[in-house]
Amino acid sequence: MESVFSKEVEIPERSSLKEDLRVEAAVIGGGMAGILTAYALKCQGKEVVVLEADRIASGQTKNTTAKLTAQHGMIYDKLIKHYGKERASVYARANKIAIDAFEWLVQEKKIECGFKRVPAFLYSVEDEKKLRKEAIAAHYLGIPAYFTKETDLPFPIKGAVCFENQAQFHPLLFIKEIAKELKIYEKTKVLSIKGHEIKTEEATVWAEHIVFATHYPVTNIPGFYFLRQHQERSYVLAVKGVEKPEGIYYSADKKGLSIRSTGEYVLLGGCAHRTGKDKRGGKYAELRNIAGKYFPGFQETAHWSAQDCIPHDGLPFIGRYSLFRPYWYVATGFRKWGMTFSMLSAFIICDRICGRENPYGKLFSPWRLHILAGAKDFLKDVGESMAGLVKGAFHLPYKELEKLQKGHGGIVRIGLKRFACYKDEQGKVYKISARCPHMGCELEWNPDELSWDCPCHGSRYDHRGNLLDCPAQKEKRVSEE
Ligand SMILES: Cc1cc2nc3c(=O)[nH]c(=O)nc-3n(C[C@H](O)[C@H](O)[C@H](O)COP(=O)(O)OP(=O)(O)OC[C@H]3O[C@@H](n4cnc5c(N)ncnc54)[C@H](O)[C@@H]3O)c2cc1C
Ligand code: FES
């Protein structure tokens, strides 16, 4: 289902690229990260184009909840422990500056996108102690934050950490205005990148600098981002008929809600899981259940889901793609805080291309060496990927085609091959190969989204084999019977 943001905004279409081009910079991907980076480069007088496979903002950006904050969950206590006070302060400062930059742009360009300064709360209905600890950590870093039990939530809490002067906005109204000044080619999928040369379906672009803003990097080597992050999917409900909180909220509890209001709606998010690990489904039902507990009597008007890249060490990758390609840049690993991190990507990458030092570049550099901070998650991820790769060899397919129920999907062995099969409500079967084209892991059925999701790095396909989410880049051939 569409998000309330996409329902409300129509962004004018752009043509696809049909002729070869030579430019100073090419940005691949027209989500929040790509558009802001291209905009920053244009402001520096660079000749820049955006190459977008589909429509701009049609990826995760249209499904975000668009809270602009430096309050990113239970993070500062951990950051201080893993990286020390100085680097934890840099993290907070960088995100604060990103919010200020959004405000400045909105005012300067008079963009009507509902930008509003609001307090951000990290709250818990279970545990006061952990929040007090987080408040102390924030305070220690000089962030104007405090512990409180007073919020405008319609249910009791044990406590909250409040960051004042954060913000929220409508991401698509914002992007629509920013994009007006940019040279963008839509329906222009990048098929391969070799050195400075980018091949699209109908043309070749030669670019002095190339920015990968494809959400998950689409080139495995060099870079090896598939070893450094996985993807997590979460679910959102837009509801009416309940009290609308003014602040923006993020839960520190395992089964909590992220909350903000926009127009007549309250957006309730949660039920995150590793992409490709939702075999049993029921995430929307679970979210409705939690929502009903805290916002009784809510009327649901829309629901949708989205995913983001989760780096092992908790920090995004912004900067040089690889030491072997000094003219390639990347913006990924936003850990569901990609609004402020997109703005930071624009600053850091633009400064790099213009030959300037950026004060935040070092902390978020893809080539930082914070190995210990991410070691546990790295090993877990390698384990998940190995399991996904060998699954086909050891696991028996759990369904016979005849046994597959209508409206369900399952892996079926036909002859010696394994297929991902979906039987629609009329009994028609859609069959695609069970292997993910990215690196060969076996796809898993997602009953909530009726999609085939890869547990290794999070690529997704619909039942007809159309690619929904990268890093995979190839469509799949479907056979119908
Ligand atoms: C449920 C949820 C709620 C969230 N809420 C918040 C929030 O409140 N605040 C916050 O800061 N962050 C939030 N986030 C995170 C944020 O939405 C994302 O980090 C951000 O939208 C990512 O933007 P992006 O530009 O990197 O990716 P995308 O928006 O996915 O853009 C990538 C683009 O690249 C294009 N592309 C891919 N491959 C190719 C190719 N080969 N050629 C050309 N183009 C290509 C795609 O079509 C796509 O348009 C949330 C995330 C989730 C999952
Ligand atoms: S996404 Fe990497 S193997 Fe599927």
Side-chain angles (χ1 to χ4, degrees):
M1 205 173 178
E2 265 191 307
S3 75
V4 287
F5 295 128
S6 3
K7 273 190 200 164
E8 288 166 353
V9 180
E10 190 83 22
I11 300 181
E13 271 179 46
R14 304 296 186 96
S15 60
S16 64
L17 179 67
K18 297 202 167 59
E19 285 175 353
D20 293 354
L21 281 181
R22 209 176 169 88
V23 287
E24 276 182 287
V27 176
I28 308 172
M32 188 60 84
I35 293 296
L36 284 175
T37 305
Y39 185 77
L41 287 166
K42 187 191 161 277
C43 292
Q44 293 298 312
K46 299 281 175 200
E47 194 196 359
V48 54
V49 290
V50 177
L51 307 171
E52 166 55 49
D54 192 352
R55 303 287 318 282
I56 60 163
S58 65
Q60 310 311 321
T61 295
K62 72 174 186 309
N63 290 334
T64 182
T65 49
K67 302 187 283 298
L68 294 169
T69 175
Q71 202 294 300
H72 292 176
M74 298 283 294
I75 187 160
Y76 288 106
D77 190 48
K78 263 195 222 149
L79 285 176
I80 295 167
K81 269 192 200 121
H82 289 311
Y83 304 118
K85 183 179 178 186
E86 181 47 38
R87 283 188 277 191
S89 303
V90 170
Y91 184 103
R93 244 187 347 263
N95 282 283
K96 180 199 174 298
I97 280 166
I99 305 170
D100 294 346
F102 272 106
E103 183 171 44
W104 182 84
L105 262 178
V106 166
Q107 286 175 356
E108 181 70 13
K109 305 189 77 54
K110 301 188 174 42
I111 304 175
E112 287 185 13
C113 62
F115 179 95
K116 190 162 89 172
R117 287 284 184 172
V118 288
F121 295 88
L122 174 68
Y123 72 98
S124 171
V125 295
E126 294 166 1
D127 182 359
E128 169 177 340
K129 229 159 94 193
K130 65 181 176 191
L131 289 170
R132 285 200 180 273
K133 210 165 145 199
E134 185 64 13
I136 290 167
H139 208 67
Y140 175 63
L141 297 175
I143 299 168
Y146 56 91
F147 177 86
T148 180
K149 292 194 178 194
E150 302 293 316
T151 69
D152 62 350
L153 286 174
F155 52 86
I157 56 162
K158 290 277 188 214
V161 184
C162 175
F163 280 34
E164 282 177 335
N165 218 20
Q166 310 298 292
Q168 63 177 36
F169 73 144
H170 191 308
L172 302 191
L173 285 172
F174 174 82
I175 265 197
K176 184 180 174 183
E177 287 305 308
I178 294 293
K180 277 183 182 163
E181 297 176 37
L182 298 174
K183 200 177 215 182
I184 298 171
Y185 294 97
E186 291 185 323
K187 300 281 175 198
T188 299
K189 183 170 178 164
V190 168
L191 303 177
S192 67
I193 307 117
K194 283 211 177 92
H196 292 277
E197 213 172 81
I198 304 168
K199 292 255 181 234
T200 69
E201 273 145 350
E202 293 181 75
T204 300
V205 179
W206 191 97
E208 202 176 312
H209 303 280
I210 300 174
V211 181
F212 290 70
T214 50
H215 186 238
Y216 200 114
V218 292
T219 298
N220 291 335
I221 300 169
F224 298 93
Y225 292 94
F226 63 91
L227 286 175
R228 306 204 257 162
Q229 57 179 4
H230 67 272
Q231 298 205 60
E232 231 179 66
R233 212 160 175 81
S234 350
Y235 299 79
V236 184
L237 304 179
V239 306
K240 289 205 273 197
V242 295
E243 254 177 70
K244 283 196 295 176
E246 270 294 305
I248 53 181
Y249 290 86
Y250 189 78
S251 173
D253 304 328
K254 209 162 174 210
K255 298 221 162 182
L257 292 173
S258 121
I259 303 163
R260 70 159 279 193
S261 55
T262 172
E264 55 185 328
Y265 309 108
V266 178
L267 307 185
L268 306 174
C271 293
H273 61 87
R274 186 184 174 110
T275 304
K277 291 279 180 186
D278 182 31
K279 213 160 148 182
R280 279 202 223 112
K283 292 294 176 208
Y284 283 118
E286 195 182 328
L287 187 57
R288 285 177 192 122
N289 227 351
I290 303 171
K293 212 163 116 192
Y294 298 115
F295 291 87
F298 73 83
Q299 297 150 32
E300 181 180 324
T301 48
H303 63 264
W304 66 90
S305 67
Q307 64 188 34
D308 212 352
C309 303
I310 314 291
H312 299 145
D313 65 2
L315 300 176
F317 302 112
I318 305 171
R320 280 205 202 293
Y321 196 98
S322 154
L323 300 176
F324 300 102
R325 301 276 190 288
Y327 46 90
W328 286 13
Y329 309 85
V330 68
T332 188
F334 294 158
R335 218 175 46 86
K336 299 187 203 165
W337 297 108
M339 296 295 107
T340 47
F341 281 135
S342 286
M343 185 61 88
L344 270 178
S345 303
F347 292 159
I348 293 172
I349 294 172
C350 179
D351 276 350
R352 270 220 166 269
I353 289 177
C354 295
R356 293 189 294 255
E357 272 290 310
N358 182 288
Y360 311 110
K362 206 166 156 201
L363 181 65
F364 302 115
S365 161
W367 302 101
R368 60 188 175 249
L369 284 173
H370 303 143
I371 290 166
L372 283 181
K376 205 171 105 206
D377 283 349
F378 167 74
L379 292 175
K380 199 171 147 210
D381 238 30
V382 170
E384 289 286 355
S385 298
M386 291 309 289
L389 278 169
V390 299
K391 207 158 121 209
F394 298 112
H395 284 209
L396 286 175
Y398 61 91
K399 293 258 194 273
E400 302 291 325
L401 196 48
E402 308 78 66
K403 287 190 189 153
L404 195 61
Q405 285 173 19
K406 288 181 179 170
H408 287 262
I411 302 294
V412 178
R413 187 180 355 231
I414 301 173
L416 288 177
K417 286 204 175 142
R418 295 161 75 89
F419 290 92
C421 297
Y422 169 67
K423 196 180 271 182
D424 72 11
E425 295 298 347
Q426 285 68 47
K428 187 168 171 182
V429 174
Y430 297 82
K431 200 170 76 180
I432 59 175
S433 120
R435 289 277 158 208
C436 171
H438 177 232
M439 295 182 78
C441 291
E442 188 163 283
L443 300 170
E444 292 261 3
W445 180 241
N446 176 340
D448 286 308
E449 294 299 342
L450 303 187
S451 61
W452 291 104
D453 300 359
C454 181
C456 287
H457 317 105
S459 298
R460 297 177 62 244
Y461 286 88
D462 72 9
H463 65 274
R464 292 177 177 276
N466 297 311
L467 180 65
L468 300 174
D469 287 309
C470 49
Q473 288 290 294
K474 287 188 189 141
E475 309 292 329
K476 277 181 163 283
R477 253 212 333 249
V478 67
S479 63
E480 300 173 20
E481 45 193 69

